[in-house]
Amino acid sequence: MSKSKRTISGRTVVITGAASGIGRALAQRLSAHGCAVAIADVDENGLKETDASLNGNTLVRVLDVRDAEAQRDFAAEVREWAPTPIGAVFNNAGVAVAATVLHGAPEDDTWLWDINFHGVVNGTRAFLPILVEQDEGVIVNTSSVYGLLAVPVQSAYSASKFAVRGFTDSLRHELRGTGVAAITVHPGGIRTNIVHNARFREGSDGIGMDREQMAQNFAAVAMTEPAKAAEKIHRGVEKGKARILIGPDAYLLDTVARVAPANGFEWISKFGNVLGKASGKLSQVRNRAHAD
Ligand SMILES: NC(=O)c1ccc[n+]([C@@H]2O[C@H](COP(=O)([O-])OP(=O)(O)OC[C@H]3O[C@@H](n4cnc5c(N)ncnc54)[C@H](O)[C@@H]3O)[C@@H](O)[C@H]2O)c1
């Protein structure tokens, strides 16, 4: 499919999950590129901090992406407020759960699916009619490398991110021939607060780590800063990409998923020397999952 370039700099953009991490970095980058920025999150204090770091026009709303009606109200408000056409809607808010299928809490999985998948669907459904009416703009939905390849203790997360990928790919085909596009973002490890906000089980039914150990392990393998991720996403959208991979780990896992779609994780584990700590930690997790 041919790529058509577009510009979102100077347009209005909408970003969920903007109180932290990738969402905050996107808001900062796009604000610096002349975008009017509508930011939303459940974390009011974090949102205020993000807003204080932006120079341009902003609309700041506390919003739970699980609430479809609140998303529709937000879209109507953005439409009234937007000083320029909406260039992009980033359905970025997301959370993580680390648990085996055997011992995981079903309510944690439901919590995650409601945010990571239904939150994305709600945001897409709320803003898509506005973009279609404009015949312009991009829906940018955040999946993950775990939406390309599944690893142990990430069953709920992987399922949500494969779902985002399938939903967004389908939408992209529906929009073919229009001025509107749908893009999937697959970040590798990005140094954000995602582990601090995650749910997981400690103790004998857990994954054998407390939150601090998990945060340290994540910090050791996450390769990309949020600002770099925001740059890649911004550039990818403007290049007209259909999907955006972020970080060398994302390219590696994408390749492994194609070559070994069923056994990709085993392959990664074998390439421990290449992947260094990343593989080691994942293998530990895999071994614990098997021990369960
Ligand atoms: N950090 C990574 O390594 C990584 C890798 C792949 C994909 N991702 C995805 O990137 C996205 C951003 O994550 P991040 O790494 O910046 O994490 P983060 O925890 O730093 O930021 C996520 C933000 O989402 C918000 N949020 C959580 N639940 C919400 C809800 N119900 N409604 C509105 N906002 C809510 C949080 O308050 C937080 O501000 C997520 O979808 C995540 O799954 C992250």
Side-chain angles (χ1 to χ4, degrees):
M1 190 187 296
S2 68
K3 294 181 192 168
S4 55
K5 293 192 177 176
R6 63 177 71 85
T7 302
I8 57 168
S9 301
R11 295 283 202 255
T12 296
V13 295
V14 180
I15 306 165
T16 67
S20 175
I22 299 170
R24 173 178 284 177
L26 263 175
Q28 290 168 337
R29 180 177 174 90
L30 295 174
S31 178
H33 280 77
C35 293
V37 181
I39 53 175
D41 203 292
V42 280
D43 175 2
E44 185 170 8
N45 290 334
L47 265 184
K48 282 183 185 156
E49 282 175 27
T50 300
D51 189 33
S53 72
L54 309 177
N55 288 320
N57 211 344
T58 60
L59 177 73
V60 182
R61 287 295 171 266
V62 175
L63 171 84
D64 188 328
V65 294
R66 292 174 287 184
D67 186 339
E69 193 179 339
Q71 290 252 36
R72 286 193 293 274
D73 291 346
F74 180 48
E77 198 179 358
V78 170
R79 180 187 204 153
E80 286 299 308
W81 164 81
T84 49
I86 298 175
V89 177
F90 296 90
N91 291 304
N92 162 79
V95 291
V97 167
T100 62
V101 175
L102 187 61
H103 295 303
E107 60 271 24
D108 288 352
D109 291 359
T110 303
W111 169 73
L112 181 147
W113 288 328
D114 282 348
I115 296 170
N116 288 13
F117 180 55
H118 292 120
V120 166
V121 173
N122 291 339
T124 301
R125 287 220 160 102
F127 283 94
L128 187 61
I130 303 175
L131 302 193
V132 168
E133 194 179 304
Q134 293 178 169
D135 197 29
E136 175 189 337
V138 196
I139 298 280
V140 188
N141 291 338
T142 303
S143 173
S144 166
V145 281
Y146 295 158
L148 300 168
L149 183 80
V151 301
V153 305
Q154 293 293 321
S155 57
Y157 188 81
S158 251
S160 75
K161 295 303 188 178
F162 271 84
V164 167
R165 173 184 168 192
F167 175 79
T168 311
D169 283 356
S170 178
L171 175 63
R172 181 180 317 114
H173 301 312
E174 291 175 15
L175 292 169
R176 199 170 182 166
T178 76
V180 183
I183 299 173
T184 318
V185 178
H186 297 279
I190 315 293
R191 297 187 188 116
T192 69
N193 289 319
I194 192 150
V195 173
H196 290 283
N197 296 329
R199 288 188 183 179
F200 67 101
R201 287 214 165 166
E202 294 186 23
S204 57
D205 283 354
I207 58 167
M209 293 182 233
D210 64 20
R211 188 176 298 277
E212 205 38 54
Q213 287 168 315
M214 236 172 83
Q216 280 175 12
N217 287 347
F218 180 70
V221 298
M223 294 178 158
T224 306
E225 293 299 333
K228 188 71 188 171
E231 180 190 334
K232 289 268 178 198
I233 295 169
H234 182 195
R235 292 217 168 129
V237 168
E238 294 206 328
K239 279 181 188 162
K241 288 190 169 185
R243 59 177 208 151
I244 298 168
L245 303 182
I246 302 174
D249 43 350
Y251 283 90
L252 178 68
L253 262 69
D254 183 45
T255 305
V256 171
R258 290 160 194 258
V259 177
N263 304 318
F265 179 72
E266 303 304 323
W267 278 47
I268 288 175
S269 302
K270 282 182 192 152
F271 288 124
N273 287 343
V274 180
L275 284 174
K277 287 181 180 171
S279 174
K281 298 300 176 194
L282 286 172
S283 294
Q284 282 176 18
V285 168
R286 188 261 325 256
N287 292 339
R288 286 181 198 286
H290 283 176
D292 282 339

